[in-house]
Amino acid sequence: MINLILFGPPGSGKGTQAVGLAEKYGLVHISTGDLFRSEMGADTELGKQAKAYISKGELVPDEVTVGMLKNKVEAHPEANGFIFDGFPRTIPQAEALDTLLTGKGTSISGLIALDVSEQEIVNRILNRGKTSGRLDDNDEGIIRNRIAVYEQETAPVFDHYAQSGKSWKIDGMGSIDEIFARLCARIDTFQ
Ligand code: C5P
Ligand code: MG
């Protein structure tokens, strides 16, 4: 079983790469951002709650995000493993994930961070915003806030898994195929 955390700042290519990796390794891809967007699209209570944070580039409270993530994991008892994309984003989320997986007799195999420069991230997100329809992709101020939140609250998750030798960084600049090959080379070393 492989349980991968695909890590990195907003716009670093996690979602793009996760789709190909899920197919190649037979894993269930869970993007908490996509789950929130689907709840917002359906205008559910959860969606309304999430929108208040997402529209400002802030994080949805841990208990809300963790509850949603748990439901999604529980919905796939047949899974060979998971790719977590955009989760965990805080240390409490990482701790909740570790507890959830321990309860299932498994654990995180590794975390791979996509390393991309801040200017490249802003350019990629503004470009994506032309077609994504995402309310948080069109305003440079919101994008910069998402990056600041990443540095303050999310970056420590890298160190959390580094403590058990499970965090890796790869160059996230280059073509989609080049980055995919770098990711596979690392995943193939996981136990
Ligand atoms: O992962 P993605 O960039 O698609 O997430 C979009 C937004 O959803 C984030 O900027 C944040 O507001 C919210 N989010 C969150 N907690 C997560 C994942 C996403 O608050 N674990
Ligand atoms: Mg994404």
Side-chain angles (χ1 to χ4, degrees), residues 9-11 14 31-34 36-37 40 50 53-62 65 68 85-90 93 128 134 136-137 146:
K14 303 184 294 294
S31 159
T32 41
D34 286 350
F36 283 131
R37 282 184 286 278
M40 289 191 291
Y53 298 92
I54 294 177
S55 59
K56 290 185 273 186
E58 288 169 8
L59 292 183
V60 178
D62 288 331
T65 306
M68 181 178 73
D85 158 12
F87 181 95
R89 266 203 170 62
T90 64
Q93 289 180 20
R128 179 173 73 186
R134 282 180 53 169
D136 56 347
D137 275 355
R146 288 163 64 195

